[in-house]
Amino acid sequence: MRTLIISAFVSLDGVMEAPGGGGDYRNADWTFKDVPFVEDVYEIKGREQEEAGAMLLGRRSYEEFLPSWPSMDEFARYNAMPRYVVSTTLKKDDPAWPATIFDNLDDVARLKESDGDPIIVHGSAELGKSLADAGLVDRYHLLVFPLLLGAGKRLFSETDKDSTKLKLVEHEVYSNDVQKQVFDVL
């Protein structure tokens, strides 16, 4: 069985929208314009790329990543691994960055049941909430930025579901006050 990992840049108040820019979000690019860059913060991103065996995205994230990720040398391993997109509206992937399209979470559950390295989910707020609500998330890799953004898409669901217990398995605080928090879902 594969581990499903949600990897996210998140503000202290739980916002994960447009951390690197894009879209028309009022605080777009907040990870770079509002917090000093410290290279060590991003060590976990390189590790994720080396350890992952597949990438899972929502439709919007797939479409936002499509113009840049396929040509970025720093994402060579991601570009070579299988990609899956959960969407009921995307009917065809882009040949420049091929992906298998899933139209429901049952497909994700079957993917998790297969043998292989972890499945990494990047930048997909709505998908992350749906996966968590369905009990499919095994781990969270969070880079928590010392910002209160107030509004924006949030990482965690606001549904009336039972609480989810997490166990902190790795953490670090960097010189720019960003915190790495790695949680296993219990």
Side-chain angles (χ1 to χ4, degrees):
M1 184 162 194
R2 300 172 92 164
T3 302
L4 193 141
I5 301 168
I6 301 284
S7 177
F9 298 115
V10 63
S11 67
L12 193 57
D13 56 348
V15 174
M16 67 175 288
E17 185 169 355
D24 57 1
Y25 174 56
R26 71 179 191 190
N27 293 318
D29 201 28
W30 50 270
T31 58
F32 297 107
K33 74 176 184 184
D34 293 334
V35 177
F37 178 81
V38 172
E39 188 172 341
D40 292 349
V41 169
Y42 302 95
E43 170 276 333
I44 193 167
K45 296 304 184 187
R47 188 169 19 128
E48 289 170 349
Q49 190 172 177
E50 291 304 312
E51 294 173 357
M55 185 187 309
L56 179 66
L57 300 165
R59 179 195 51 84
R60 276 181 252 144
S61 294
Y62 174 77
E63 290 174 342
E64 287 178 15
F65 292 175
L66 183 61
S68 57
W69 276 44
S71 62
M72 295 177 78
D73 291 339
E74 59 264 42
F75 297 135
R77 183 143 158 65
Y78 280 141
N79 290 326
M81 72 178 57
R83 274 173 299 288
Y84 302 88
V85 178
V86 178
S87 174
T88 58
T89 58
L90 185 67
K91 300 302 177 200
K92 185 173 182 294
D93 66 338
D94 191 300
W97 210 43
T100 300
I101 300 169
F102 290 160
D103 62 4
N104 62 67
L105 295 182
D106 291 339
D107 293 329
V108 176
R110 281 189 286 280
L111 178 63
K112 273 192 65 172
E113 290 172 5
S114 67
D115 291 331
D117 292 325
I119 304 161
I120 194 84
V121 180
H122 283 292
S124 296
E126 297 307 316
L127 176 59
K129 289 178 197 177
S130 297
L131 293 167
D133 289 347
L136 295 172
V137 177
D138 299 300
R139 179 172 271 200
Y140 289 94
H141 288 185
L142 307 178
L143 289 176
V144 182
F145 285 70
L147 299 167
L148 299 173
L149 298 175
K153 293 179 185 170
R154 298 188 184 277
L155 174 60
F156 299 107
S157 178
E158 296 178 14
T159 64
D160 286 333
K161 68 177 217 84
D162 292 336
S163 65
T164 301
K165 184 144 174 67
L166 306 173
K167 178 173 178 49
L168 184 66
V169 295
E170 182 181 343
H171 71 283
E172 190 163 348
V173 179
Y174 300 95
S175 61
N176 60 357
D177 295 323
V178 171
Q179 298 176 41
K180 172 178 60 180
Q181 300 177 354
V182 176
F183 293 96
D184 281 344
V185 177
L186 301 178

